[in-house]
Amino acid sequence: MSEFEIKKSGVEYDAVIVGSGAGGGMTGYVLANAGLKVLMLEAGAYFDPRIDSQQLKWPWESPRRGAGTTRHFGDFDAAYGGWELEGEPYTQKNNSEFAWFRSRMLGGRTNHWGRISLRMGPDDFKPKDGLTDPWPITYQELKPFYDRVDRMIGLYGTVEGIESEPDGIFMTPPKPRLNELFIKKAAQKVGVTVIPGRGSVLTEALKDNKDRGQCFYCGQCGRSCKVYADFSSSSCLVIPAVKTGNLTVITNAMVREVLTDKSGKATGVSYVNTKDMQEYQVKGKTIILGASACESARLLLNSKSAAHPDGLANSSGIVGKYLHDSTGASMSGYLPQLVDRKRYNEDGAGSIHIYSPWWLDNKKLDFPRGYHIEYGGGLSMPGYGFGWGIEGMNGSIPGRDGKMKEAGGYGAGLKDDYRRFYGTEVGMAGRGTAIARESNYCEIDPNVVDKYGIPVLRFNYKWAPEEVKQAKHMQETFKEIMHAMGAIASEPPGAETSYGLEAPGKIIHEVGTVRMGDDPKKSALNRWCQAHDCKNLFVVDAAPFVQQGDKNATWTILALSMRTAEYILAQKKNLNIS
């Protein structure tokens, strides 16, 4: 595209933020409330849960009965995007199988996540086993920001005093449902710790916030909440920030690159409007990337100039490297003692009611670090494909006469099986720590561009033997708990499938591509998520993570981005950045 065709804005904003998820949303909220004029660019559509959520719709209101055909997590889920997007490819090398989920909506992935909100612990920031580099900050440095996020957004849970699972400032958690009572009793019987869940769902009214309602336990947080009772960046951060009059949001803006001047200072960004396919440029005194770990790395690597020949903020050569996603494996089954159980509303909160933090000493195991367990099942809304608990369990089930019979079938018999087994299901999923390795990375594919003409990412990622052993341990633990419950469970997968270990990227917890550190030769960002090579450039998503723990990343992204936003304000006040 020639220079004269690019549409340039004459307005210079105090800050331009790329991405509207947890990091971009929090940064925009803090800066706008401090009086800065902020522009936020979102690649997807506008989305306000109060207006656009598909909450409380019945499966039969969709011609696909809510199946995951148009959206990966079901027709009604608030997930505008997926692992594969038309016209937006990514490639692999060396038989890599990394799966990259992109969200294309205001608020990003925070609209449809599980709201499991965990703090990383002291050893996650400063690991004692020497396998990975320490973060340049400690848990104690981030703790005040975790506390403020808890108070500001709202979080349920209980104080447990577990060092590796730091306590927060909690609202009352929802009580365990029937299937969870069975799970808890069985898990504790085999030595697995079980505590109430920790979820960013308002089980109590939030003080001094009249815009957000209290949870009414429909169990559909994944569809995003019309009363703003759960945390989404759109409802809790971006929309309130827009109301200050200081935040402007442009949707359908696919950012191509960060623009710099001859000295290497960031001056703005270039983006393609996904509707008219024209290229636009906007100017900002400070540029903030919150586009997701891989997308922010892609932007930096595509932002080449004479001052930054290897990509912006990449004099160290580490941008794109140390990519890692949580490990994940699962098991499902059903409880025969709950067959023909009574029907009642058991929806509960859309986040977990119980979970197991890591409970073992790795010195006694053959793999490093740990995992937590998330539990589910019970009388949730049946969707398309309900019945896995019948057909998947060795092909036979107890009939009404007490004798075993073949599962499923057709007509009245099939309907009778579904009625009898509805609410008997139990499921458990492990989410564990993968080691950050330089050999797992994303880079620019020199031969492929997307439909906007932007060079795409190419992934190189392999699970290591330690992560496979972790998945094996997950399956062994699941089997123990299932047996202690008296559950009929699916047969655990074996070594040929790496014990059911999901492909990297499938857990959608990827972090670490633009990592922070004190040494500019080994990191792209300093301890404030500020680029070593470009002082008015910051990254506020999961890319700065040095090493993820066995915790979901969102609460740490929120705390880090709040900390970074306040640093930006302090630096502007002291005239250290323009």
Side-chain angles (χ1 to χ4, degrees):
M1 181 175 289
S2 60
E3 185 72 18
F4 68 87
E5 290 179 292
I6 298 174
K7 302 179 187 299
K8 299 182 178 180
S9 170
V11 179
E12 184 178 35
Y13 291 88
D14 292 319
V16 174
I17 300 173
V18 181
S20 62
M26 178 61 81
T27 308
Y29 180 90
V30 173
L31 298 183
N33 276 282
L36 270 61
K37 296 299 181 182
V38 184
L39 176 66
M40 179 178 286
L41 301 173
E42 164 55 48
Y46 184 81
F47 184 87
D48 181 348
R50 185 165 289 164
I51 301 166
D52 303 312
S53 170
Q54 300 296 305
Q55 192 180 21
L56 305 181
K57 288 196 173 182
W58 297 97
W60 56 81
E61 292 185 69
S62 159
R64 294 162 292 276
R65 302 299 186 264
T69 51
T70 58
R71 300 185 199 171
H72 282 284
F73 301 101
D75 280 355
F76 298 137
D77 195 83
Y80 295 5
W83 287 283
E84 302 293 337
L85 301 178
E86 185 178 352
E88 296 185 47
Y90 53 92
T91 62
Q92 313 276 354
K93 63 188 296 188
N94 299 325
N95 297 314
S96 174
E97 294 182 348
F98 189 84
W100 184 22
F101 192 99
R102 277 79 48 83
S103 188
R104 295 290 182 255
M105 62 196 302
L106 189 72
R109 304 175 189 176
T110 67
N111 290 294
H112 72 103
W113 65 305
R115 273 77 185 182
I116 300 171
S117 305
L118 309 174
R119 300 184 181 201
M120 298 226 301
D123 289 352
D124 294 322
F125 290 97
K126 302 290 184 181
K128 295 175 182 175
D129 57 16
L131 285 172
T132 57
D133 292 328
W135 287 57
I137 61 174
T138 64
Y139 169 73
Q140 287 301 322
E141 287 177 82
L142 200 56
K143 181 183 183 300
F145 297 94
Y146 277 131
D147 289 349
R148 287 169 59 188
V149 170
D150 288 357
R151 291 189 183 100
M152 172 185 164
I153 291 174
L155 175 69
Y156 67 69
T158 50
V159 174
E160 299 289 339
I162 302 171
E163 184 182 11
S164 61
E165 197 78 20
D167 294 316
I169 299 165
F170 297 124
M171 295 179 172
T172 304
K175 294 179 180 179
R177 292 160 288 205
L178 181 58
N179 68 301
E180 289 154 347
L181 292 172
F182 279 95
I183 292 169
K184 183 178 180 179
K185 183 178 180 180
Q188 291 175 332
K189 183 178 178 181
V190 300
V192 176
T193 302
V194 178
I195 66 174
R198 294 178 175 177
S200 48
V201 179
L202 298 185
T203 58
E204 303 169 14
L206 193 63
K207 294 180 180 179
D208 304 321
N209 192 323
K210 297 179 181 179
D211 293 329
R212 297 185 60 196
Q214 191 172 334
C215 180
F216 53 91
Y217 299 110
C218 72
Q220 297 179 5
C221 291
R223 300 186 185 188
S224 196
C225 185
K226 285 186 174 295
V227 301
Y228 295 175
D230 61 19
F231 170 71
S232 293
S233 178
S234 51
S235 59
C236 300
L237 300 173
V238 180
I239 293 171
V242 169
K243 290 179 181 178
T244 68
N246 293 324
L247 177 66
T248 301
V249 177
I250 299 178
T251 54
N252 303 304
M254 182 66 63
V255 176
R256 175 190 296 278
E257 64 179 318
V258 178
L259 304 172
T260 54
D261 61 18
K262 291 181 180 179
S263 71
K265 178 183 175 182
T267 59
V269 302
S270 167
Y271 71 90
V272 177
N273 181 306
T274 62
K275 298 300 182 184
D276 66 18
M277 299 301 283
Q278 296 294 305
E279 185 169 347
Y280 296 77
Q281 290 183 1
V282 292
K283 295 189 290 186
K285 296 176 182 177
T286 300
I287 307 302
I288 301 162
L289 302 184
S292 81
C294 295
E295 189 65 54
S296 288
R298 180 192 183 199
L299 284 172
L300 293 174
L301 293 171
N302 275 327
S303 300
K304 294 185 177 182
S305 64
H308 305 285
D310 297 318
L312 185 56
N314 195 34
S315 64
S316 62
I318 67 95
V319 172
K321 296 179 180 177
Y322 297 97
L323 169 66
H324 55 294
D325 180 37
S326 296
T327 57
S330 60
M331 182 179 288
S332 57
Y334 74 91
L335 291 166
Q337 56 269 50
L338 294 186
V339 171
D340 291 320
R341 63 176 292 192
K342 292 181 179 179
R343 303 287 189 267
Y344 52 87
N345 186 335
E346 199 187 44
D347 289 342
S351 193
I352 53 174
H353 285 212
I354 62 169
Y355 86 112
S356 292
W358 180 236
W359 68 99
L360 294 174
D361 181 355
N362 286 97
K363 294 176 183 177
K364 301 176 182 178
L365 299 168
D366 62 353
F367 60 88
R369 313 292 170 93
Y371 60 88
H372 72 253
I373 307 175
E374 303 168 8
Y375 301 103
L379 289 170
S380 58
M381 169 73 74
Y384 181 89
F386 167 73
W388 55 261
I390 298 174
E391 286 99 349
M393 308 305 151
N394 303 319
S396 60
I397 57 174
R400 289 193 179 277
D401 59 2
K403 297 179 180 179
M404 299 303 291
K405 72 181 190 71
E406 187 175 348
Y410 297 92
L414 178 62
K415 291 178 180 179
D416 187 52
D417 286 347
Y418 280 167
R419 290 188 186 99
R420 299 188 66 221
F421 282 82
Y422 172 48
T424 66
E425 311 103 295
V426 288
M428 47 199 73
R431 298 288 181 260
T433 306
I435 299 300
R437 294 182 173 85
E438 189 174 7
S439 58
N440 287 334
Y441 59 84
C442 57
E443 63 184 3
I444 299 299
D445 190 315
N447 303 312
V448 182
V449 298
D450 63 17
K451 63 183 177 182
Y452 309 110
I454 305 171
V456 307
L457 284 182
R458 178 169 63 186
F459 290 93
N460 186 86
Y461 199 119
K462 285 284 192 300
W463 288 128
E466 296 93 328
E467 284 128 19
V468 175
K469 289 177 181 178
Q470 194 183 88
K472 181 174 184 287
H473 191 274
M474 289 180 191
Q475 296 291 356
E476 291 168 348
T477 301
F478 301 157
K479 190 172 183 178
E480 272 193 279
I481 297 172
M482 289 286 191
H483 179 75
M485 275 193 288
I488 308 297
S490 54
E491 192 63 31
E496 69 283 357
T497 65
S498 297
Y499 304 98
L501 180 60
E502 296 279 5
K506 280 291 186 178
I507 307 302
I508 322 180
H509 289 178
E510 72 274 10
V511 303
T513 56
V514 193
R515 71 176 187 163
M516 59 160 67
D518 293 328
D519 186 350
K521 294 181 181 179
K522 297 180 179 180
S523 59
L525 310 172
N526 66 15
R527 58 179 32 240
W528 303 103
C529 299
Q530 179 183 30
H532 290 301
D533 304 344
C534 183
K535 297 303 181 185
N536 67 333
L537 175 73
F538 296 81
V539 183
V540 295
D541 47 35
F545 282 42
V546 178
Q547 171 63 58
Q548 170 72 308
D550 67 299
K551 286 67 171 200
N552 309 43
T554 305
W555 228 239
T556 301
I557 295 172
L558 289 167
L560 270 180
S561 55
M562 178 186 282
R563 178 176 179 269
T564 295
E566 296 196 347
Y567 175 79
I568 291 171
L569 292 173
Q571 292 297 296
K572 283 185 175 292
K573 184 177 180 180
N574 296 330
L575 303 179
N576 291 330
I577 56 176
S578 59

